Amino acid sequence: MFRYFPTNYVWNLSVGLAIEMGARIGEIEEMCGPLQEAAKQPDAAGTQAFRETWSKMADKLCSLAQEDEAQGRLLSAGEKYSRASSYLITCERLQAHDAPGRLDMYKRCLELFARSLELTKDKCTRVEIPYEGKHIAGLFIPADNVSGPAPVLVQVNGLDSTKEMKYRVGLPAWLAKRGVASLIIDQPGTGEALRLQGLTARYDSEHWASRVVDWLETRADVDARRIGMEGVSLGGYYCPRAVAFEPRFACGVAWGANHDWRDVQKRRLEKEGDFPVPHYWAHVRWVWGAKDMDEFMTIAEHVHLDGVLDRIKVPFLVTHGEKDSQIPLKWAYRTYEQLVNSPKRELKIFTEREGGVQHASFDNSMNAGQYIADWVAETLGGQVA
């Protein structure tokens, strides 16, 4: 794990995620160099300092991109807008949910991300899936070199990631080369669903996952018999739950097992394990729509997979980092052990040899992500060579 800040796991996690999204090391140094003392400060003061340096870099990149555009160098401009968007989403996720200007920052992330796609001509299209009188926003990435309907992997966030972050990390591109399309969504409690639609998280993830499958079944470029789902971090709970109760999914992948999130919350109250974001308890109450801690802990009691996984009758891959400091490794074994009716269950623990040993492999997502892409391609009828 790259530890730029010796005493601040949350910031190191953020830097690691930014690198996985394509950050340049020189820009990382320029943003983080002035922050060594701020990294030791309390959440409010520290995150404001982080926001200032990372936003400044985003502004500089946008200025450079505008110069590129003026000269007709649109591909170069698109790359700069891409990194600017990634840097903004990195510092946006660290802010308190009610921090002044946070929502505007998030909207700017979306605008820059969309502009980057437009200029680089990436094969990625924004979609909106009807849900509860509102919509679930997603990104659809087609499979490469496939004639006719293709298999697709639905990809869902964890507690604090967004569809743009998951896109930039790279799994959709690795799948596309293997003949598998991707649909990355901001499910309730994450990204646009939470910030712009007011859709908070719910433990019965099949409620929204089934609507997603309904929508995919209407697409001529999707093989409805070959729809899988992957979830990262807290998605390692959402995904198995959805696959268990929605039989149209053809397979599932947990990128970081999250078998018993209720227990994780109890341990965090005891100061055990690392937090993924500052202002953690305010953040989870916002995500789940809880008015106070008592209501949140009542909701959390439902967020576990005991008594659920024997319903899964399709192939399922459980992955976990050997040194995950957020979610104990024991929960990966628990998930695997309870997949008793899966015809093809696999447990993959990422070790120092291949990398990806930290939470959801944020320390080295490529080897882990391509392992997942290979397994999905083999399971859904893509190709690995």
Side-chain angles (χ1 to χ4, degrees):
M1 176 180 173
F2 179 51
R3 293 180 174 85
Y4 194 100
F5 303 104
T7 62
N8 197 321
Y9 170 84
V10 173
W11 285 21
N12 289 330
L13 169 63
S14 299
V15 172
L17 288 170
I19 291 172
E20 295 304 303
M21 287 190 285
R24 310 308 299 170
I25 194 64
E27 291 168 355
I28 289 285
E29 173 63 24
E30 186 174 336
M31 292 184 289
C32 293
L35 294 176
Q36 289 294 345
E37 288 305 313
K40 304 171 187 176
Q41 296 176 10
D43 283 348
T47 53
Q48 179 60 32
F50 192 104
R51 173 175 173 169
E52 289 171 0
T53 63
W54 284 62
S55 296
K56 182 179 179 181
M57 176 60 72
D59 290 340
K60 181 171 82 169
L61 286 170
C62 287
S63 177
L64 292 169
Q66 289 163 4
E67 293 174 13
D68 287 337
E69 286 189 87
Q71 298 181 65
R73 297 171 177 173
L74 303 186
L75 293 174
S76 293
E79 291 293 340
K80 293 182 178 70
Y81 284 131
S82 173
R83 294 203 308 283
S85 174
S86 294
Y87 295 159
L88 283 179
I89 201 64
T90 299
C91 62
E92 187 269 351
R93 66 177 285 279
L94 291 182
Q95 307 302 307
H97 74 273
D98 55 355
R102 178 175 182 170
L103 184 58
D104 289 337
M105 180 185 294
Y106 177 73
K107 291 178 179 178
R108 188 179 180 214
C109 294
L110 296 182
E111 292 169 359
L112 294 176
F113 180 84
R115 183 60 175 158
S116 74
L117 294 182
E118 179 184 358
L119 296 181
T120 59
K121 305 299 183 185
D122 282 11
K123 295 179 181 178
C124 176
T125 304
R126 175 188 165 83
V127 298
E128 294 184 356
I129 301 166
Y131 179 74
E132 299 291 280
K134 300 181 179 181
H135 68 261
I136 292 173
L139 300 172
F140 187 85
I141 300 91
D144 292 340
N145 303 315
V146 173
S147 59
V152 63
L153 187 69
V154 179
Q155 295 152 53
V156 302
N157 294 315
L159 177 70
D160 51 82
S161 57
T162 69
K163 62 187 183 302
E164 292 78 23
M165 295 172 71
K166 284 184 66 62
Y167 176 76
R168 290 298 182 205
V169 166
L171 181 58
W174 304 328
L175 287 167
K177 289 183 178 181
R178 292 162 171 79
V180 180
S182 293
L183 173 64
I184 321 169
I185 63 169
D186 282 337
Q187 79 270 16
T190 69
E192 289 188 52
L194 179 63
R195 292 161 175 81
L196 303 182
Q197 298 288 311
L199 295 169
T200 54
R202 50 189 304 159
Y203 74 89
D204 54 343
S205 53
E206 68 275 10
H207 188 273
W208 47 260
S210 292
R211 315 291 180 84
V212 172
V213 176
D214 291 343
W215 182 84
L216 283 169
E217 287 183 332
T218 69
R219 292 186 63 106
D221 55 353
V222 167
D223 184 344
R225 300 165 300 172
R226 295 187 289 164
I227 300 173
M229 176 180 267
E230 173 268 341
V232 66
S233 189
L234 185 53
Y237 162 80
Y238 292 131
C239 170
R241 167 83 195 202
V243 173
F245 286 93
E246 175 44 80
R248 290 176 291 175
F249 282 115
C251 71
V253 179
W255 195 345
N258 220 320
H259 188 95
D260 196 333
W261 200 66
R262 61 180 174 179
D263 183 77
V264 171
Q265 305 321 297
K266 293 171 183 176
R267 300 289 75 78
R268 284 175 174 168
L269 285 172
E270 301 286 337
K271 309 298 184 184
E272 296 179 19
D274 288 317
F275 288 165
V277 292
H279 322 281
Y280 178 76
W281 296 112
H283 183 84
V284 294
R285 293 196 300 271
W286 175 47
V287 167
W288 291 91
K291 65 180 183 295
D292 54 32
M293 280 299 295
D294 287 342
E295 184 176 6
F296 167 69
M297 293 305 293
T298 299
I299 293 171
E301 283 296 318
H302 296 285
V303 189
H304 67 89
L305 295 170
D306 288 334
V308 169
L309 298 178
D310 60 346
R311 299 174 63 101
I312 294 179
K313 299 179 181 178
V314 296
F316 206 100
L317 171 64
V318 181
T319 77
H320 210 81
E322 186 177 47
K323 297 183 178 180
D324 190 325
S325 60
Q326 290 189 44
I327 308 297
L329 180 57
K330 67 179 181 180
W331 296 123
Y333 289 103
R334 176 76 66 86
T335 294
Y336 174 76
E337 290 164 359
Q338 292 186 6
L339 289 165
V340 293
N341 291 316
S342 169
K344 177 188 171 185
R345 62 174 177 170
E346 181 179 342
L347 174 63
K348 175 61 177 177
I349 307 300
F350 296 114
T351 67
E352 293 284 4
R353 180 172 179 267
E354 61 265 82
V357 300
Q358 287 293 329
H359 182 64
S361 306
F362 80 86
D363 55 313
N364 184 353
S365 61
M366 180 168 282
N367 288 353
Q370 295 202 354
Y371 187 98
I372 290 170
D374 285 337
W375 185 92
V376 170
E378 291 166 349
T379 303
L380 292 182
Q383 69 268 348
V384 295

